[in-house]
Amino acid sequence: MKVNIVSLTCCAGCVSSFLNAGDALLEILSQDFDIVYSPTFVDLKEVPQVDLAIVEGGVRTEADEKLIREVRAKSRVLVALGICATHGGVTSLGNIISVKKLLEKEYFVLETSKLPELEDLMYPICNFVDVDYYIPGCPPMPFLIVHSLKSIVSGKTPIRHQSVVCTECNRKIIAAKLDRLYGIYDKEADPNLCLVSQGFVCLGSLTREGCGAPCPRAGFTCFGCRGPTDSLLYRSRDLYSFLVKVISKRTSIPEEEVKKELYRNPFIFHTFIFSKFERFKARERII
Amino acid sequence: MTSQREITISPTTRIEGHGKVTIILDEAGNVSDAYFYATEIRGFDYFLRGMEADRLPFIISRICGVCSTAHVLASVKAIENIYGTEITETAKKLREVLLMGQIISNHSLVFFFLILPDFWFSKEEDPSKRNAFQIMRENPEIGRKAIALRSFATKILDTIGKREVHIVSAIPGGLISPLKEKEREELLKAAKEACAITQEAVSLGKELFEKNWEEFRKAGDYKTHYMALTEDDATEFYEGKIRIINPEGAVYSEFTAQDYMKHIEEKRYEWTYAKFACLKTLGCQKGIVQVGPTARINVNRKAKTEFANKELEEFKRKFGSPAHATLLFDYARLIDLLYACERTRELLEDENITRTDTRVKVKPKGGIGTSVVEAPRGTLAHEYTLTRNGRLKSIKLIIPTQVNSAAINLNVKDAATEFIQKGEIKTGLLNRIEMVVRAYDPCIKCATRNVTDGLKVEIRNQEGKLLKILS
């Protein structure tokens, strides 16, 4: 199987994560998995026709858009790897300021003939091309990438993860009696209790499982890098009011007060999913 | 006769991020200028404003997935600087292990996956085969070594950092949880194996390097200032003073992290999305500085660990001090790798590292804080201004690739001048340019955390008309 690895606007963390798979990586490389195009690793400059394209990063420049269209046209199966490709990622936080302002403030007015023009927003790739599988995560864990790729290589649909991070976290959920919420630096976390029950704003109850819950297990709140779970991809579900209810139930802090605290910071949920995302089409293809 | 031509290398391969090279020819068809530049931009410096301090480290790590640990550590240190927090010795040791994990993770990637193909294959080799995967097919033993070192780094970051990319355990005040004795034993065992593999890698690298040295030394030899962290004249990554030496090797200045921005300034150019950085006192013409593996050796007299120190001394004997040849970055990087493995083993041999006092309480307040760490590519600085409410008012990041940008450009111009005369382009230009650029291991992701496309070489005439794209 001929494989392209393509990077659009991103931090290269997803390909790094793939390289962290250790022996599983050697195994997959020894099988029918021939990486023919990857600017990071291979000297080929033209995008070739392949069976599988793995794309990390989202679309921020016109050059990104041109490349993703070319890659789609030249590959049989296309996998969006990581939250930038699937939902826009952290870079989509840049959507809060206009490109014009960004360039004027930070740079001279740029001579555009030499640099690629910017898109008005940072987009996930599904805004431009059809995607066969989405593997969200910032970055997705090596085992998740390798398992999914193995299935795809053998022509099977990878196992989907439809529930929430809480199912993979071993902390005990209780209805605690607290008077306020806490920032992650404010106090040390009890190693056994649910972080929300301790007053931390953990997004595990909103976020797609499949990562193994490394952050909340370590005592750091989940910040939603796997994106919203299946049930939250219905338009009728409001992430804010859902989390307000969860927090209020587990801390006994009245919903109104939780709301006030959460609404203070719009980034609480949308660190990774700020961009436009066509959520209905994609649901059954999110791994 | 005017031969108006334009060259573009596109994309520059085997580097991290999207870069491009443009070469501009004069009337006679000789090189008048050459640029290596970044073509992506993401806007981090802007959208982070207003963000709460406790969300900064984990969002900032997303600037770069390859050196995210260095960014997280610089970030928590800058915040601690504002808060006036002194972390415990235990936390400091664990953070240094994390940073060593970062160096091993990056340098093993760069050596085995990006650089080795240049050393391994002859220049005549089919470019589609000149890559790490082909080496692994021909020589599975090398593949196993590469993966073993990557896995060791992953194990460190996973055990102590709690995630192998974008670690979460480092927070202002220390580390979120202590290292367990069982984990220490496992890591120590792995560290011993990693040290042995690294020594083999260093031998292999040196052998291949020496075979090609006559050719490599021609690739560029630019005498600039060098900057790195130092402690008692020894290489240091996590803390210490910043030392700058002049091109002759004398100490030009030495200062603490807090004063970093007083000595280094940024300059922007209209042809790249990445900003340059240079010495404030000398300006961007004379004040060119290089950071990274060679700089760490040039600035210091010794290394704290046994074998790395031996290699460092041999390096200085062979190439002089300061050593200037550009491709020495590839050699010096192996000494970094050896140091990182040895230092990790040393830190893990200390049983006190499993003490449970990894965290102190922080007292949030506003102010300005600067921090510096040695990232894989060189000196990395973060400066934040926080409001009284603990929100980010302004941010200034100076990334190693920004500092090296000027030197990279000079090297690209040198290579272009050597290979292009009177409009004639000799074969080998593309390969040479890519090798000098690759030596710096430029991380365009980092340099352009602001808004990003692959390395291209363009040749343009003076009016800016595109003549040729090299690929």
Side-chain angles (χ1 to χ4, degrees), chain A residues 69-91:
Chain A
R69 289 190 196 278
E70 183 180 359
V71 167
R72 174 71 270 188
K74 289 179 172 173
S75 43
R76 199 163 50 78
V77 179
L78 190 145
V79 177
L81 182 66
I83 197 87
C84 289
T86 62
H87 298 67
V90 161
T91 307

Side-chain angles (χ1 to χ4, degrees), chain A residues 11 39 45 102 118 138 265, chain B residues 14 52 65 163 275 434 451:
Chain A
C11 79
K45 312 265 178 192
L102 177 73
L118 298 172
C138 187
N265 187 347
Chain B
R14 286 189 279 128
E52 286 159 328
R163 269 177 82 125
K275 284 185 262 183
E434 285 197 323
V451 194

Side-chain angles (χ1 to χ4, degrees), chain A residues 218 220, chain B residues 72 98 157 160-163 166-171 174-177:
Chain A
F220 196 91
Chain B
V72 172
L98 280 173
L157 298 177
I160 305 174
K162 304 301 175 190
R163 269 177 82 125
H166 303 316
I167 60 160
V168 293
S169 68
I171 55 166
L175 254 85
I176 210 155
S177 55

